[in-house]
Amino acid sequence: MSACVKSGMQSAGTLTPQREATEERQGDALADPDRPWITIVWDDPINLMSYVTHVFMEVFGYPKAKAEKLMLDVHHRGRAVVASGTRERMELDVHTLHGYGLWATLEQQS
């Protein structure tokens, strides 16, 4: 048994049960499981507006009118919320959009 364990000290980087529980509670305050997550697409100078519309139709199954509205939000406002749901689903959407070359992020809805 090491001297640290015998004396009740902890090694740097290890957590006591009390400290671990405190950090979990602080982390829970940051990510509220009852609030949905959103996928945001950001404007970029690379992709054509017609391509972004196509991606929204392909990935999300949106009709052309909705896809065009979201694309115009991206173009004029610099960003658009294109989906909301669980964190896991939004992570998948972001990953998929990155595969199409779009700049996308996720965040918890405020």
PDB file of all heavy atoms in Angstrom, residues 62-97:
ATOM      1  N   TYR A  62     -36.683  17.124 -46.154  1.00  0.00           N
ATOM      2  CA  TYR A  62     -37.529  18.312 -46.198  1.00  0.00           C
ATOM      3  C   TYR A  62     -38.021  18.552 -47.619  1.00  0.00           C
ATOM      4  O   TYR A  62     -37.292  18.319 -48.595  1.00  0.00           O
ATOM      5  CB  TYR A  62     -36.746  19.549 -45.743  1.00  0.00           C
ATOM      6  CG  TYR A  62     -36.394  19.556 -44.274  1.00  0.00           C
ATOM      7  CD1 TYR A  62     -35.266  20.213 -43.828  1.00  0.00           C
ATOM      8  CD2 TYR A  62     -37.195  18.925 -43.323  1.00  0.00           C
ATOM      9  CE1 TYR A  62     -34.930  20.254 -42.479  1.00  0.00           C
ATOM     10  CE2 TYR A  62     -36.870  18.949 -41.975  1.00  0.00           C
ATOM     11  CZ  TYR A  62     -35.739  19.612 -41.558  1.00  0.00           C
ATOM     12  OH  TYR A  62     -35.414  19.644 -40.232  1.00  0.00           O
ATOM     13  N   PRO A  63     -39.269  19.064 -47.743  1.00  0.00           N
ATOM     14  CA  PRO A  63     -39.719  19.481 -49.072  1.00  0.00           C
ATOM     15  C   PRO A  63     -38.882  20.665 -49.551  1.00  0.00           C
ATOM     16  O   PRO A  63     -38.261  21.377 -48.744  1.00  0.00           O
ATOM     17  CB  PRO A  63     -41.182  19.869 -48.847  1.00  0.00           C
ATOM     18  CG  PRO A  63     -41.365  20.015 -47.383  1.00  0.00           C
ATOM     19  CD  PRO A  63     -40.270  19.264 -46.708  1.00  0.00           C
ATOM     20  N   LYS A  64     -38.892  20.873 -50.849  1.00  0.00           N
ATOM     21  CA  LYS A  64     -38.034  21.909 -51.435  1.00  0.00           C
ATOM     22  C   LYS A  64     -38.269  23.282 -50.809  1.00  0.00           C
ATOM     23  O   LYS A  64     -37.320  24.018 -50.531  1.00  0.00           O
ATOM     24  CB  LYS A  64     -38.229  21.972 -52.947  1.00  0.00           C
ATOM     25  CG  LYS A  64     -37.241  22.889 -53.624  1.00  0.00           C
ATOM     26  CD  LYS A  64     -37.299  22.797 -55.119  1.00  0.00           C
ATOM     27  CE  LYS A  64     -36.192  23.657 -55.712  1.00  0.00           C
ATOM     28  NZ  LYS A  64     -36.090  23.496 -57.150  1.00  0.00           N
ATOM     29  N   ALA A  65     -39.522  23.648 -50.551  1.00  0.00           N
ATOM     30  CA  ALA A  65     -39.827  24.973 -49.997  1.00  0.00           C
ATOM     31  C   ALA A  65     -39.183  25.154 -48.608  1.00  0.00           C
ATOM     32  O   ALA A  65     -38.600  26.206 -48.318  1.00  0.00           O
ATOM     33  CB  ALA A  65     -41.335  25.182 -49.914  1.00  0.00           C
ATOM     34  N   LYS A  66     -39.262  24.147 -47.751  1.00  0.00           N
ATOM     35  CA  LYS A  66     -38.668  24.249 -46.418  1.00  0.00           C
ATOM     36  C   LYS A  66     -37.146  24.261 -46.512  1.00  0.00           C
ATOM     37  O   LYS A  66     -36.480  25.031 -45.819  1.00  0.00           O
ATOM     38  CB  LYS A  66     -39.123  23.096 -45.528  1.00  0.00           C
ATOM     39  CG  LYS A  66     -38.542  23.194 -44.131  1.00  0.00           C
ATOM     40  CD  LYS A  66     -39.140  22.193 -43.170  1.00  0.00           C
ATOM     41  CE  LYS A  66     -38.545  22.423 -41.785  1.00  0.00           C
ATOM     42  NZ  LYS A  66     -39.230  21.660 -40.759  1.00  0.00           N
ATOM     43  N   ALA A  67     -36.595  23.429 -47.374  1.00  0.00           N
ATOM     44  CA  ALA A  67     -35.146  23.382 -47.551  1.00  0.00           C
ATOM     45  C   ALA A  67     -34.625  24.727 -48.059  1.00  0.00           C
ATOM     46  O   ALA A  67     -33.581  25.212 -47.599  1.00  0.00           O
ATOM     47  CB  ALA A  67     -34.766  22.258 -48.502  1.00  0.00           C
ATOM     48  N   GLU A  68     -35.346  25.350 -48.986  1.00  0.00           N
ATOM     49  CA  GLU A  68     -34.936  26.664 -49.504  1.00  0.00           C
ATOM     50  C   GLU A  68     -35.025  27.740 -48.428  1.00  0.00           C
ATOM     51  O   GLU A  68     -34.154  28.605 -48.335  1.00  0.00           O
ATOM     52  CB  GLU A  68     -35.783  27.049 -50.710  1.00  0.00           C
ATOM     53  CG  GLU A  68     -35.410  26.283 -51.958  1.00  0.00           C
ATOM     54  CD  GLU A  68     -36.295  26.616 -53.153  1.00  0.00           C
ATOM     55  OE1 GLU A  68     -37.431  27.129 -52.951  1.00  0.00           O
ATOM     56  OE2 GLU A  68     -35.844  26.351 -54.277  1.00  0.00           O
ATOM     57  N   LYS A  69     -36.088  27.690 -47.594  1.00  0.00           N
ATOM     58  CA  LYS A  69     -36.212  28.672 -46.510  1.00  0.00           C
ATOM     59  C   LYS A  69     -35.034  28.551 -45.547  1.00  0.00           C
ATOM     60  O   LYS A  69     -34.440  29.558 -45.158  1.00  0.00           O
ATOM     61  CB  LYS A  69     -37.524  28.492 -45.760  1.00  0.00           C
ATOM     62  CG  LYS A  69     -37.707  29.527 -44.661  1.00  0.00           C
ATOM     63  CD  LYS A  69     -38.707  29.077 -43.619  1.00  0.00           C
ATOM     64  CE  LYS A  69     -38.812  30.037 -42.464  1.00  0.00           C
ATOM     65  NZ  LYS A  69     -37.568  30.375 -41.793  1.00  0.00           N
ATOM     66  N   LEU A  70     -34.692  27.328 -45.159  1.00  0.00           N
ATOM     67  CA  LEU A  70     -33.557  27.127 -44.250  1.00  0.00           C
ATOM     68  C   LEU A  70     -32.252  27.578 -44.897  1.00  0.00           C
ATOM     69  O   LEU A  70     -31.414  28.206 -44.248  1.00  0.00           O
ATOM     70  CB  LEU A  70     -33.476  25.665 -43.824  1.00  0.00           C
ATOM     71  CG  LEU A  70     -34.592  25.201 -42.886  1.00  0.00           C
ATOM     72  CD1 LEU A  70     -34.552  23.687 -42.726  1.00  0.00           C
ATOM     73  CD2 LEU A  70     -34.491  25.901 -41.538  1.00  0.00           C
ATOM     74  N   MET A  71     -32.086  27.272 -46.176  1.00  0.00           N
ATOM     75  CA  MET A  71     -30.881  27.694 -46.893  1.00  0.00           C
ATOM     76  C   MET A  71     -30.785  29.219 -46.909  1.00  0.00           C
ATOM     77  O   MET A  71     -29.704  29.787 -46.708  1.00  0.00           O
ATOM     78  CB  MET A  71     -30.899  27.146 -48.317  1.00  0.00           C
ATOM     79  CG  MET A  71     -29.768  27.639 -49.208  1.00  0.00           C
ATOM     80  SD  MET A  71     -30.078  29.238 -50.015  1.00  0.00           S
ATOM     81  CE  MET A  71     -31.516  28.889 -50.993  1.00  0.00           C
ATOM     82  N   LEU A  72     -31.905  29.906 -47.124  1.00  0.00           N
ATOM     83  CA  LEU A  72     -31.894  31.374 -47.134  1.00  0.00           C
ATOM     84  C   LEU A  72     -31.596  31.935 -45.745  1.00  0.00           C
ATOM     85  O   LEU A  72     -30.922  32.965 -45.621  1.00  0.00           O
ATOM     86  CB  LEU A  72     -33.217  31.918 -47.679  1.00  0.00           C
ATOM     87  CG  LEU A  72     -33.397  31.738 -49.190  1.00  0.00           C
ATOM     88  CD1 LEU A  72     -34.814  32.116 -49.609  1.00  0.00           C
ATOM     89  CD2 LEU A  72     -32.358  32.534 -49.968  1.00  0.00           C
ATOM     90  N   ASP A  73     -32.065  31.258 -44.691  1.00  0.00           N
ATOM     91  CA  ASP A  73     -31.699  31.674 -43.333  1.00  0.00           C
ATOM     92  C   ASP A  73     -30.187  31.575 -43.147  1.00  0.00           C
ATOM     93  O   ASP A  73     -29.561  32.472 -42.586  1.00  0.00           O
ATOM     94  CB  ASP A  73     -32.402  30.802 -42.281  1.00  0.00           C
ATOM     95  CG  ASP A  73     -33.863  31.167 -42.097  1.00  0.00           C
ATOM     96  OD1 ASP A  73     -34.292  32.229 -42.587  1.00  0.00           O
ATOM     97  OD2 ASP A  73     -34.574  30.373 -41.442  1.00  0.00           O
ATOM     98  N   VAL A  74     -29.604  30.482 -43.607  1.00  0.00           N
ATOM     99  CA  VAL A  74     -28.152  30.320 -43.519  1.00  0.00           C
ATOM    100  C   VAL A  74     -27.464  31.444 -44.288  1.00  0.00           C
ATOM    101  O   VAL A  74     -26.533  32.084 -43.788  1.00  0.00           O
ATOM    102  CB  VAL A  74     -27.707  28.939 -44.064  1.00  0.00           C
ATOM    103  CG1 VAL A  74     -26.194  28.862 -44.182  1.00  0.00           C
ATOM    104  CG2 VAL A  74     -28.235  27.812 -43.188  1.00  0.00           C
ATOM    105  N   HIS A  75     -27.950  31.705 -45.495  1.00  0.00           N
ATOM    106  CA  HIS A  75     -27.315  32.702 -46.364  1.00  0.00           C
ATOM    107  C   HIS A  75     -27.437  34.123 -45.801  1.00  0.00           C
ATOM    108  O   HIS A  75     -26.454  34.874 -45.779  1.00  0.00           O
ATOM    109  CB  HIS A  75     -27.936  32.623 -47.756  1.00  0.00           C
ATOM    110  CG  HIS A  75     -27.339  33.574 -48.740  1.00  0.00           C
ATOM    111  ND1 HIS A  75     -26.055  33.446 -49.214  1.00  0.00           N
ATOM    112  CD2 HIS A  75     -27.855  34.685 -49.328  1.00  0.00           C
ATOM    113  CE1 HIS A  75     -25.800  34.433 -50.058  1.00  0.00           C
ATOM    114  NE2 HIS A  75     -26.874  35.197 -50.146  1.00  0.00           N
ATOM    115  N   HIS A  76     -28.636  34.505 -45.344  1.00  0.00           N
ATOM    116  CA  HIS A  76     -28.870  35.884 -44.911  1.00  0.00           C
ATOM    117  C   HIS A  76     -28.559  36.129 -43.437  1.00  0.00           C
ATOM    118  O   HIS A  76     -28.082  37.212 -43.083  1.00  0.00           O
ATOM    119  CB  HIS A  76     -30.321  36.290 -45.190  1.00  0.00           C
ATOM    120  CG  HIS A  76     -30.641  36.373 -46.646  1.00  0.00           C
ATOM    121  ND1 HIS A  76     -30.054  37.282 -47.489  1.00  0.00           N
ATOM    122  CD2 HIS A  76     -31.488  35.639 -47.415  1.00  0.00           C
ATOM    123  CE1 HIS A  76     -30.521  37.111 -48.720  1.00  0.00           C
ATOM    124  NE2 HIS A  76     -31.397  36.119 -48.702  1.00  0.00           N
ATOM    125  N   ARG A  77     -28.835  35.149 -42.595  1.00  0.00           N
ATOM    126  CA  ARG A  77     -28.630  35.325 -41.158  1.00  0.00           C
ATOM    127  C   ARG A  77     -27.319  34.722 -40.658  1.00  0.00           C
ATOM    128  O   ARG A  77     -26.945  34.912 -39.519  1.00  0.00           O
ATOM    129  CB  ARG A  77     -29.790  34.712 -40.383  1.00  0.00           C
ATOM    130  CG  ARG A  77     -31.100  35.387 -40.672  1.00  0.00           C
ATOM    131  CD  ARG A  77     -32.217  34.751 -39.911  1.00  0.00           C
ATOM    132  NE  ARG A  77     -33.467  35.455 -40.184  1.00  0.00           N
ATOM    133  CZ  ARG A  77     -34.627  35.057 -39.766  1.00  0.00           C
ATOM    134  NH1 ARG A  77     -34.739  33.968 -39.043  1.00  0.00           N
ATOM    135  NH2 ARG A  77     -35.703  35.752 -40.054  1.00  0.00           N
ATOM    136  N   GLY A  78     -26.688  33.949 -41.521  1.00  0.00           N
ATOM    137  CA  GLY A  78     -25.415  33.342 -41.132  1.00  0.00           C
ATOM    138  C   GLY A  78     -25.543  31.976 -40.500  1.00  0.00           C
ATOM    139  O   GLY A  78     -24.546  31.288 -40.303  1.00  0.00           O
ATOM    140  N   ARG A  79     -26.767  31.572 -40.182  1.00  0.00           N
ATOM    141  CA  ARG A  79     -26.997  30.266 -39.560  1.00  0.00           C
ATOM    142  C   ARG A  79     -28.476  29.914 -39.607  1.00  0.00           C
ATOM    143  O   ARG A  79     -29.322  30.803 -39.770  1.00  0.00           O
ATOM    144  CB  ARG A  79     -26.537  30.261 -38.117  1.00  0.00           C
ATOM    145  CG  ARG A  79     -27.302  31.232 -37.248  1.00  0.00           C
ATOM    146  CD  ARG A  79     -26.903  31.213 -35.801  1.00  0.00           C
ATOM    147  NE  ARG A  79     -27.970  30.559 -35.036  1.00  0.00           N
ATOM    148  CZ  ARG A  79     -27.844  30.104 -33.818  1.00  0.00           C
ATOM    149  NH1 ARG A  79     -26.713  30.206 -33.189  1.00  0.00           N
ATOM    150  NH2 ARG A  79     -28.834  29.539 -33.190  1.00  0.00           N
ATOM    151  N   ALA A  80     -28.752  28.619 -39.444  1.00  0.00           N
ATOM    152  CA  ALA A  80     -30.142  28.164 -39.342  1.00  0.00           C
ATOM    153  C   ALA A  80     -30.172  26.908 -38.490  1.00  0.00           C
ATOM    154  O   ALA A  80     -29.283  26.056 -38.590  1.00  0.00           O
ATOM    155  CB  ALA A  80     -30.729  27.869 -40.720  1.00  0.00           C
ATOM    156  N   VAL A  81     -31.195  26.807 -37.653  1.00  0.00           N
ATOM    157  CA  VAL A  81     -31.439  25.581 -36.903  1.00  0.00           C
ATOM    158  C   VAL A  81     -32.190  24.654 -37.842  1.00  0.00           C
ATOM    159  O   VAL A  81     -33.283  24.973 -38.305  1.00  0.00           O
ATOM    160  CB  VAL A  81     -32.256  25.858 -35.627  1.00  0.00           C
ATOM    161  CG1 VAL A  81     -32.617  24.554 -34.929  1.00  0.00           C
ATOM    162  CG2 VAL A  81     -31.493  26.791 -34.694  1.00  0.00           C
ATOM    163  N   VAL A  82     -31.580  23.517 -38.160  1.00  0.00           N
ATOM    164  CA  VAL A  82     -32.170  22.617 -39.142  1.00  0.00           C
ATOM    165  C   VAL A  82     -32.818  21.379 -38.534  1.00  0.00           C
ATOM    166  O   VAL A  82     -33.555  20.675 -39.216  1.00  0.00           O
ATOM    167  CB  VAL A  82     -31.132  22.194 -40.210  1.00  0.00           C
ATOM    168  CG1 VAL A  82     -30.668  23.412 -41.005  1.00  0.00           C
ATOM    169  CG2 VAL A  82     -29.958  21.480 -39.580  1.00  0.00           C
ATOM    170  N   ALA A  83     -32.541  21.104 -37.245  1.00  0.00           N
ATOM    171  CA  ALA A  83     -33.142  19.943 -36.594  1.00  0.00           C
ATOM    172  C   ALA A  83     -33.027  20.091 -35.088  1.00  0.00           C
ATOM    173  O   ALA A  83     -32.174  20.821 -34.585  1.00  0.00           O
ATOM    174  CB  ALA A  83     -32.448  18.662 -37.044  1.00  0.00           C
ATOM    175  N   SER A  84     -33.886  19.386 -34.360  1.00  0.00           N
ATOM    176  CA  SER A  84     -33.788  19.327 -32.905  1.00  0.00           C
ATOM    177  C   SER A  84     -34.177  17.937 -32.438  1.00  0.00           C
ATOM    178  O   SER A  84     -34.921  17.224 -33.120  1.00  0.00           O
ATOM    179  CB  SER A  84     -34.681  20.388 -32.245  1.00  0.00           C
ATOM    180  OG  SER A  84     -36.046  20.078 -32.447  1.00  0.00           O
ATOM    181  N   GLY A  85     -33.620  17.551 -31.298  1.00  0.00           N
ATOM    182  CA  GLY A  85     -33.915  16.231 -30.755  1.00  0.00           C
ATOM    183  C   GLY A  85     -32.897  15.835 -29.711  1.00  0.00           C
ATOM    184  O   GLY A  85     -32.306  16.689 -29.049  1.00  0.00           O
ATOM    185  N   THR A  86     -32.649  14.538 -29.601  1.00  0.00           N
ATOM    186  CA  THR A  86     -31.697  14.042 -28.610  1.00  0.00           C
ATOM    187  C   THR A  86     -30.279  14.412 -29.019  1.00  0.00           C
ATOM    188  O   THR A  86     -29.996  14.642 -30.201  1.00  0.00           O
ATOM    189  CB  THR A  86     -31.776  12.514 -28.479  1.00  0.00           C
ATOM    190  OG1 THR A  86     -31.358  11.911 -29.712  1.00  0.00           O
ATOM    191  CG2 THR A  86     -33.182  12.049 -28.113  1.00  0.00           C
ATOM    192  N   ARG A  87     -29.406  14.434 -28.042  1.00  0.00           N
ATOM    193  CA  ARG A  87     -28.008  14.764 -28.329  1.00  0.00           C
ATOM    194  C   ARG A  87     -27.414  13.773 -29.328  1.00  0.00           C
ATOM    195  O   ARG A  87     -26.715  14.166 -30.266  1.00  0.00           O
ATOM    196  CB  ARG A  87     -27.188  14.775 -27.033  1.00  0.00           C
ATOM    197  CG  ARG A  87     -25.743  15.111 -27.300  1.00  0.00           C
ATOM    198  CD  ARG A  87     -24.902  15.147 -26.054  1.00  0.00           C
ATOM    199  NE  ARG A  87     -23.559  15.531 -26.428  1.00  0.00           N
ATOM    200  CZ  ARG A  87     -22.803  16.339 -25.727  1.00  0.00           C
ATOM    201  NH1 ARG A  87     -23.243  16.852 -24.609  1.00  0.00           N
ATOM    202  NH2 ARG A  87     -21.588  16.634 -26.143  1.00  0.00           N
ATOM    203  N   GLU A  88     -27.699  12.498 -29.121  1.00  0.00           N
ATOM    204  CA  GLU A  88     -27.139  11.467 -30.007  1.00  0.00           C
ATOM    205  C   GLU A  88     -27.596  11.670 -31.446  1.00  0.00           C
ATOM    206  O   GLU A  88     -26.806  11.554 -32.379  1.00  0.00           O
ATOM    207  CB  GLU A  88     -27.535  10.068 -29.514  1.00  0.00           C
ATOM    208  CG  GLU A  88     -26.906   9.686 -28.193  1.00  0.00           C
ATOM    209  CD  GLU A  88     -27.582  10.302 -26.968  1.00  0.00           C
ATOM    210  OE1 GLU A  88     -28.725  10.824 -27.092  1.00  0.00           O
ATOM    211  OE2 GLU A  88     -26.955  10.290 -25.899  1.00  0.00           O
ATOM    212  N   ARG A  89     -28.874  12.006 -31.637  1.00  0.00           N
ATOM    213  CA  ARG A  89     -29.400  12.222 -32.991  1.00  0.00           C
ATOM    214  C   ARG A  89     -28.757  13.455 -33.621  1.00  0.00           C
ATOM    215  O   ARG A  89     -28.412  13.462 -34.800  1.00  0.00           O
ATOM    216  CB  ARG A  89     -30.917  12.362 -32.931  1.00  0.00           C
ATOM    217  CG  ARG A  89     -31.571  12.577 -34.269  1.00  0.00           C
ATOM    218  CD  ARG A  89     -31.395  11.374 -35.142  1.00  0.00           C
ATOM    219  NE  ARG A  89     -31.171  11.808 -36.506  1.00  0.00           N
ATOM    220  CZ  ARG A  89     -31.145  11.003 -37.544  1.00  0.00           C
ATOM    221  NH1 ARG A  89     -31.311   9.719 -37.385  1.00  0.00           N
ATOM    222  NH2 ARG A  89     -30.930  11.473 -38.741  1.00  0.00           N
ATOM    223  N   MET A  90     -28.601  14.519 -32.832  1.00  0.00           N
ATOM    224  CA  MET A  90     -28.003  15.744 -33.367  1.00  0.00           C
ATOM    225  C   MET A  90     -26.519  15.536 -33.682  1.00  0.00           C
ATOM    226  O   MET A  90     -26.010  16.088 -34.661  1.00  0.00           O
ATOM    227  CB  MET A  90     -28.192  16.919 -32.406  1.00  0.00           C
ATOM    228  CG  MET A  90     -29.655  17.299 -32.159  1.00  0.00           C
ATOM    229  SD  MET A  90     -30.642  17.646 -33.643  1.00  0.00           S
ATOM    230  CE  MET A  90     -31.469  16.083 -33.917  1.00  0.00           C
ATOM    231  N   GLU A  91     -25.824  14.727 -32.880  1.00  0.00           N
ATOM    232  CA  GLU A  91     -24.430  14.397 -33.197  1.00  0.00           C
ATOM    233  C   GLU A  91     -24.352  13.665 -34.527  1.00  0.00           C
ATOM    234  O   GLU A  91     -23.457  13.943 -35.343  1.00  0.00           O
ATOM    235  CB  GLU A  91     -23.816  13.551 -32.086  1.00  0.00           C
ATOM    236  CG  GLU A  91     -23.525  14.332 -30.825  1.00  0.00           C
ATOM    237  CD  GLU A  91     -23.072  13.462 -29.665  1.00  0.00           C
ATOM    238  OE1 GLU A  91     -23.215  12.218 -29.727  1.00  0.00           O
ATOM    239  OE2 GLU A  91     -22.557  14.033 -28.683  1.00  0.00           O
ATOM    240  N   LEU A  92     -25.295  12.763 -34.768  1.00  0.00           N
ATOM    241  CA  LEU A  92     -25.327  12.045 -36.042  1.00  0.00           C
ATOM    242  C   LEU A  92     -25.613  13.003 -37.195  1.00  0.00           C
ATOM    243  O   LEU A  92     -24.970  12.931 -38.248  1.00  0.00           O
ATOM    244  CB  LEU A  92     -26.370  10.926 -35.995  1.00  0.00           C
ATOM    245  CG  LEU A  92     -26.537  10.114 -37.270  1.00  0.00           C
ATOM    246  CD1 LEU A  92     -25.234   9.417 -37.653  1.00  0.00           C
ATOM    247  CD2 LEU A  92     -27.661   9.103 -37.102  1.00  0.00           C
ATOM    248  N   ASP A  93     -26.569  13.917 -36.996  1.00  0.00           N
ATOM    249  CA  ASP A  93     -26.877  14.899 -38.044  1.00  0.00           C
ATOM    250  C   ASP A  93     -25.662  15.762 -38.374  1.00  0.00           C
ATOM    251  O   ASP A  93     -25.356  15.998 -39.550  1.00  0.00           O
ATOM    252  CB  ASP A  93     -28.033  15.804 -37.619  1.00  0.00           C
ATOM    253  CG  ASP A  93     -29.385  15.093 -37.634  1.00  0.00           C
ATOM    254  OD1 ASP A  93     -29.471  13.976 -38.181  1.00  0.00           O
ATOM    255  OD2 ASP A  93     -30.343  15.665 -37.083  1.00  0.00           O
ATOM    256  N   VAL A  94     -24.961  16.235 -37.339  1.00  0.00           N
ATOM    257  CA  VAL A  94     -23.776  17.067 -37.559  1.00  0.00           C
ATOM    258  C   VAL A  94     -22.727  16.285 -38.331  1.00  0.00           C
ATOM    259  O   VAL A  94     -22.146  16.786 -39.307  1.00  0.00           O
ATOM    260  CB  VAL A  94     -23.217  17.597 -36.219  1.00  0.00           C
ATOM    261  CG1 VAL A  94     -21.819  18.183 -36.390  1.00  0.00           C
ATOM    262  CG2 VAL A  94     -24.161  18.633 -35.619  1.00  0.00           C
ATOM    263  N   HIS A  95     -22.502  15.048 -37.933  1.00  0.00           N
ATOM    264  CA  HIS A  95     -21.524  14.203 -38.624  1.00  0.00           C
ATOM    265  C   HIS A  95     -21.925  13.999 -40.090  1.00  0.00           C
ATOM    266  O   HIS A  95     -21.084  14.091 -40.993  1.00  0.00           O
ATOM    267  CB  HIS A  95     -21.402  12.859 -37.904  1.00  0.00           C
ATOM    268  CG  HIS A  95     -20.444  11.919 -38.538  1.00  0.00           C
ATOM    269  ND1 HIS A  95     -19.080  12.066 -38.436  1.00  0.00           N
ATOM    270  CD2 HIS A  95     -20.649  10.818 -39.309  1.00  0.00           C
ATOM    271  CE1 HIS A  95     -18.488  11.099 -39.116  1.00  0.00           C
ATOM    272  NE2 HIS A  95     -19.415  10.337 -39.644  1.00  0.00           N
ATOM    273  N   THR A  96     -23.190  13.762 -40.325  1.00  0.00           N
ATOM    274  CA  THR A  96     -23.687  13.570 -41.696  1.00  0.00           C
ATOM    275  C   THR A  96     -23.495  14.839 -42.520  1.00  0.00           C
ATOM    276  O   THR A  96     -23.026  14.782 -43.665  1.00  0.00           O
ATOM    277  CB  THR A  96     -25.170  13.163 -41.670  1.00  0.00           C
ATOM    278  OG1 THR A  96     -25.303  11.954 -40.922  1.00  0.00           O
ATOM    279  CG2 THR A  96     -25.703  12.946 -43.079  1.00  0.00           C
ATOM    280  N   LEU A  97     -23.839  15.985 -41.946  1.00  0.00           N
ATOM    281  CA  LEU A  97     -23.684  17.252 -42.667  1.00  0.00           C
ATOM    282  C   LEU A  97     -22.216  17.549 -42.961  1.00  0.00           C
ATOM    283  O   LEU A  97     -21.893  18.077 -44.036  1.00  0.00           O
ATOM    284  CB  LEU A  97     -24.331  18.390 -41.876  1.00  0.00           C
ATOM    285  CG  LEU A  97     -25.862  18.324 -41.800  1.00  0.00           C
ATOM    286  CD1 LEU A  97     -26.385  19.275 -40.738  1.00  0.00           C
ATOM    287  CD2 LEU A  97     -26.493  18.603 -43.155  1.00  0.00           C
TER     288      LEU A  97
END
